[in-house]
Structures are given as C-alpha cells and as structure tokens.
Amino acid sequence: MKRTLIKDLNQHIGEQVTIQGWLHTLRDQKNMQFLIMRDRTGLVQVAHYKKGDLDLAETISGLGTESALRLTGKVIENEIVKLGGLEIQLEDLLIENAAEIPLPFEPFGEYLPEQDFRLDWRFLDLRRQINQLIFEVQTTAVQAMREFWLQKGFIEIHSPKIMGTPSESGAELFSLPYFDTTAYLAQSPQFYKQMAMAAGFERVFEFGPVFRADPSFTSRHMTEFTGVDMEISWIDSHEDVMATMERWLAYTTQSVIEKHDEAIAATLGHHLEVPAVPFPRITMAEAHQLLNEIGYKLPFEKKFDLDPGAERALGAHFKETQGHDYVYVTDWPFEARPFYHMLHPNAPGLTRSFDLLGKGLEIATGAQREHRYEVLKAQALEKGLSLEVIQGYLNYFRYGTPPHGGFGFGLSRFMMVLLDLPNIREAVYIFRGPTRLTP
RNA sequence: GGGGGCGUGGUGUAGUGGUUCAACAUGCGGCCCUGUCAAGGCCGAGAUCGCGGGUUCAAAUCCCGUCGCUCCCGCCA
C-alpha cells in the first residue's frame, strides 16, 4: 500500500492508510496502546485496542522509542485527540528496524547531552526537528545562491582539492602522501577561480570543500568546511564585487523566507528579514576611529587589523544605529592581506578589499585582484614569497587577463548568522575539527 | 601556539574536607491505571564521583600531574 505522509492524513479521513516513520512515544495502558508516530512531516497518534490482537499488543509493548515502523490502519476523526484531532486505528504493523533499548540519549528529551556526545551520535541528534530545518534551509539557500548566479550567466566550476603546491593564505596545509611525492589539500579555490578569469570565463562560482590545518578550538572554526567562492571579470573595483554580493545575499534570504518562514518561526521563535541593500560600508580606517569612539580598545599589534571582539562591536554598532545585520569593512591595509589583493592607486598601502561581517562574525573576504603581472610579482616579493613556487599562478597574468575580483564565503558561518546558531558544529552536517574525525 | 573553565549512575545536574557524601531529574525494568495525550501512581536496578600520585586521622570535595571536553586569543570562512 502506498505511503501517506502524516501531514496529509486529514485528507484521508475514513480511509485505510499506511504510514512510515519513527515511534516517537509509546503509552502502553491496560486496555489501550497509543503510539505517537513521527515522520519528516509531523506527528500522529495511532491507537491499538489490545484485546483486538494480543500478539500485536505484546509486540508493541516491547518496542523502543525511535524504532522505524511501517503501519497500516484507518484514519478517523476524533476530537478528543489533542494531536490534530485525528488518529489512526491500528490494523497492521511492521517493524522495519527496532531501536535498541536504551537509546544513547533521548533526541526529544527535556534536555540534551553535551554537544560532543551528541556529535558522537550525530544521526540521532539530526532527528531533532531544528536540525532537519537547518539543512532544509541550507538546501534552499544553496539553491537560491546558484539560481542567482545562473540567471546572470555564471559558469559553475569544480576545482581540484588535491594540489602539488600550496594554494595561498596563511592557513596551515594538510599534506598527504601522493605516490612518490607529497600533495596538499586545497585551502581555497582562489588560484583556480582566477585561472577561470584568465580563461575568459568572466563569471564563475564554486561550492566545494576547503581544508585548513589550523588547530583552532573555537565555536566558529572547522578543519574542513564548504567554501562558496565567486569571481567576476571586467570590474572597476571591489565595489562591483560587494554590490553583486549583497544582492545575492538578499535574494538568498528572500528565498529562505518564502519557503521556511513559518517553520523558522515555529522552531526558532522569530522571523527572518531580508537585509536592506546596499549594506553599510565602513573603511578600516573609519572602523578604527569608530571603535575608538565607542570605547573598544584594540591591541596595539592590531593597528592594521581587527580582532573578533572588534568585529562583534562593529556588528552591534551597525545593528543598533542602522538596524542592519551586515556590514562591509573595506580598504584593508596591505599588511593584513594576501599579496594578490590590488592596492588602491592613490592610497598606497591600502587594498581594494573587504570583509563581510554578519552579526559581528566574519563570513566572507573579497577583493579586486591584482591582474598586472609586474605589479603582482612585486607584491609577492614584498610578502616574501618565492616567485618560483607560484610561477604557475603568475603565468595566468601574462597573456591577457581582464581585471577581476571575487570573494570567498563560509557556508556554515552564514547558516550561523542566518539562524542565530551559537556554534558552527550545529550549523554543519558533520563537523570536522582538530580532534574530531568521526563520524 | 597561548590562556581560562569543566570532568559525579545511560543522559543532565546537586553536593566543595568527615556525621544519609553519594542525592535529584530523566531514561531503563516491574507492577497498577475505562482512551491516553509532554499521561499519571507505586516499586526496583544503575555511579568506588575521568585517570595517577600527594596532603590529611578522614578526599567526589584540597594540591600536583595526566587525559578528555569546552570556550577565548592567535589564524581564518
């Protein structure tokens, strides 16, 4: 018999249906048994009159909650049932996979075990409604991001994650044996998306894994995460990148609201808002001045940079003064940026770059890239890089590469910001950290 | 790489030197209950208090070490 989803049961009053799902709660009484069943669409009560089938009653009594069941019965309206005013009168039950007793923890209990323990049993943790919602929302968000770009003629690329030389960035590399040599896991698709600019693709994006061997033990770092990268050609400055990005994020948020507003309100207790475009912008120099005014003390060694506390302070300030969750911090000093960021022509030492803060959290970095071969080489040397090692990359800029720029964006960090999740381990399907390689 | 915090039955917590210090909740097992509904009632099993060492007449409780987890800084998405 065809499966009926629990949310559709009210269209089948009086009919015999089959539902498939998990035993959410069992109330086993003297004469009656009540099974609360859950599938991905909701909960329903199933009633069984014990004397109607004593063998079945005994089977049910032995069931552990969270067992995977398929059951058949007649849907009846019953106003005394508090769960939706209907119930299924049980006729047949098939145990697809019994849950052992006891469970490692109760996914639907009053309190939850600490996060580390839940990660050990992530599949049980993921049965919780909020977790299903997080990944439904992420699916919609990623779909919208891709849609936005496809509407504008972007090409999607998939660059290799195994590399012979480090890709860039100060981040530590994972190395691995590779036949008779050593290979590295990509820290970023940076060089490859710029290669696409040299290739004349003009506009590209990529969703892909990124690996960072930094031993970071914080609520917002992972050793492997999904990077969302884009790169566009023929830009005038980093402003073009920011302008594209903010509309892209507004479109994405709009899509999430259209599809999940009700569920988000029901589960998280608040509504999302589409961020107003354009987002606030502040230069690094202005940011330092502002921080000074609002009394945030930045350590001396951070005179070219921000620290996480400063980012939170800026986020809070723009929320308070402009009601905005996002802010671009632009024009970072070259000291704080990689060699390939383009310098301002009339402000030496400053780059055409930006970070995007969402609720005070760094979720993206972008810039116009330096596409002039000689200038790029000089900047690499200034950063102390060996030209030999990056010559393959430098070659992209010898045979007609347009001006271009783009950004790298952390998908899970965005999910944290979007849904107010306190820890990136809640925002990612399966967490990878310095001491977490399983599941 | 640096710093802080935590580590008690399956799970979440209480207890901060002795005399119920091993408790409470939940889960688990049993019994009871005219259809319950986040069910309820009664009974029961379950932790030598992460591990090792030390202080003390006495340690879950203090000290040292170690391991694990966690958060912050550094680094970044």
Side-chain angles (χ1 to χ4, degrees):
Chain A
M1 191 180 204
K2 201 177 146 190
R3 179 195 190 186
T4 302
L5 292 172
I6 287 172
K7 73 173 167 57
D8 297 327
L9 285 173
N10 56 11
Q11 296 158 30
H12 296 272
I13 306 293
E15 297 171 25
Q16 190 193 47
V17 299
T18 293
I19 63 169
Q20 290 169 294
W22 291 265
L23 180 60
H24 194 73
T25 302
L26 173 62
R27 286 193 283 276
D28 198 350
Q29 298 183 192
K30 188 179 186 183
N31 298 314
M32 295 292 297
Q33 291 168 317
F34 297 97
L35 301 83
I36 308 303
M37 291 292 295
R38 180 187 78 248
D39 69 14
R40 66 176 192 277
T41 68
L43 296 170
V44 68
Q45 171 166 296
V46 178
H48 181 239
Y49 180 60
K50 282 176 149 178
K51 283 176 186 154
D53 187 336
L54 289 172
D55 288 342
L56 182 55
E58 197 176 332
T59 300
I60 290 170
S61 292
L63 284 173
T65 52
E66 294 304 312
S67 291
L69 309 176
R70 163 202 289 254
L71 45 84
T72 300
K74 189 176 169 188
V75 184
I76 60 155
E77 266 184 309
N78 187 345
E79 59 190 27
I80 63 170
V81 178
K82 293 179 180 172
L83 193 60
L86 58 80
E87 70 180 1
I88 294 174
Q89 294 182 323
L90 185 65
E91 288 163 16
D92 190 38
L93 175 146
L94 173 67
I95 302 170
E96 298 284 10
N97 185 251
E100 290 181 26
I101 298 170
L103 294 163
F105 73 97
E106 300 296 315
F108 300 92
E110 272 180 66
Y111 48 77
L112 291 168
E114 68 175 59
Q115 187 176 61
D116 190 58
F117 187 84
R118 282 187 287 121
L119 293 186
D120 285 339
W121 296 95
R122 182 61 169 159
F123 62 90
L124 285 179
D125 192 38
L126 288 169
R127 287 187 189 176
R128 295 160 52 220
Q129 201 166 26
I130 182 167
N131 281 329
Q132 309 234 335
L133 177 63
I134 287 169
F135 298 102
E136 285 165 9
V137 167
Q138 181 175 284
T139 301
T140 299
V142 167
Q143 163 91 344
M145 290 171 182
R146 184 176 267 120
E147 236 168 51
F148 182 91
W149 282 327
L150 293 180
Q151 283 165 12
K152 292 178 165 37
F154 278 63
I155 292 173
E156 179 167 9
I157 60 172
H158 297 283
S159 64
K161 304 306 161 200
I162 304 176
M163 309 171 67
T165 53
S167 46
E168 60 99 356
S169 92
E172 296 293 314
L173 287 156
F174 286 111
S175 59
L176 66 154
Y178 193 77
F179 304 109
D180 294 330
T181 182
T182 297
Y184 304 93
L185 294 179
Q187 303 160 297
S188 153
Q190 183 60 36
F191 289 178
Y192 292 123
K193 61 181 179 167
Q194 285 192 260
M195 183 176 145
M197 300 301 98
F201 280 22
E202 299 203 12
R203 323 169 134 213
V204 300
F205 68 89
E206 173 164 0
F207 292 85
V210 175
F211 303 92
R212 304 277 166 94
D214 294 314
S216 297
F217 296 89
T218 77
S219 56
R220 59 186 186 279
H221 285 87
M222 302 190 275
T223 49
E224 176 180 349
F225 63 91
T226 301
V228 182
D229 276 82
M230 71 86 108
E231 202 75 16
I232 50 177
S233 284
W234 307 111
I235 61 170
D236 291 327
S237 76
H238 53 319
E239 173 58 33
D240 292 335
V241 180
M242 290 190 283
T244 302
M245 183 180 197
E246 61 200 0
R247 280 178 282 138
W248 172 77
L249 271 183
Y251 179 83
T252 297
T253 307
Q254 176 67 45
S255 299
V256 168
I257 291 170
E258 277 167 19
K259 197 156 183 183
H260 304 288
D261 184 56
E262 207 178 308
I264 288 170
T267 306
L268 299 173
H270 64 268
H271 294 271
L272 304 188
E273 283 176 24
V274 179
V277 172
F279 294 179
R281 287 153 168 71
I282 186 170
T283 66
M284 180 61 100
E286 290 165 350
H288 276 133
Q289 196 179 337
L290 175 62
L291 287 167
N292 196 35
E293 283 165 17
I294 62 183
Y296 185 85
K297 300 254 185 299
L298 215 48
F300 176 74
E301 63 272 19
K302 284 285 178 182
K303 60 181 172 179
F304 299 122
D305 206 342
L306 298 174
D307 63 14
E311 293 174 344
R312 287 189 288 268
L314 289 174
H317 175 81
F318 281 92
K319 182 66 177 174
E320 204 174 302
T321 58
Q322 301 192 26
H324 214 291
D325 286 330
Y326 295 96
V327 56
Y328 285 120
V329 180
T330 68
D331 300 359
W332 289 59
F334 187 60
E335 284 88 342
R337 294 310 228 194
F339 75 97
Y340 53 82
H341 281 198
M342 182 179 274
L343 298 176
H344 274 286
N346 44 16
L350 294 187
T351 56
R352 287 181 158 180
S353 67
F354 64 89
D355 270 15
L356 176 64
L357 306 182
K359 293 178 182 168
L361 177 67
E362 195 174 323
I363 61 174
T365 298
Q368 176 169 10
R369 322 303 185 185
E370 180 52 67
H371 63 288
R372 296 163 295 181
Y373 183 53
E374 294 302 330
V375 179
L376 187 57
K377 276 199 295 187
Q379 290 187 186
L381 288 173
E382 197 177 332
K383 288 283 184 184
L385 297 178
S386 151
L387 297 188
E388 273 177 33
V389 172
I390 57 169
Q391 189 57 51
Y393 168 71
L394 294 173
N395 285 344
Y396 304 161
F397 306 97
R398 294 172 62 198
Y399 306 100
T401 292
H404 64 279
F407 65 76
F409 172 93
L411 181 61
S412 295
R413 284 199 178 176
F414 172 65
M415 292 302 295
M416 288 175 74
V417 171
L418 190 70
L419 299 179
D420 286 318
L421 304 175
N423 192 305
I424 203 159
R425 287 160 225 189
E426 306 285 352
V428 69
Y429 178 53
I430 294 167
F431 172 71
R432 279 289 176 272
T435 59
R436 169 64 72 173
L437 280 167
T438 57

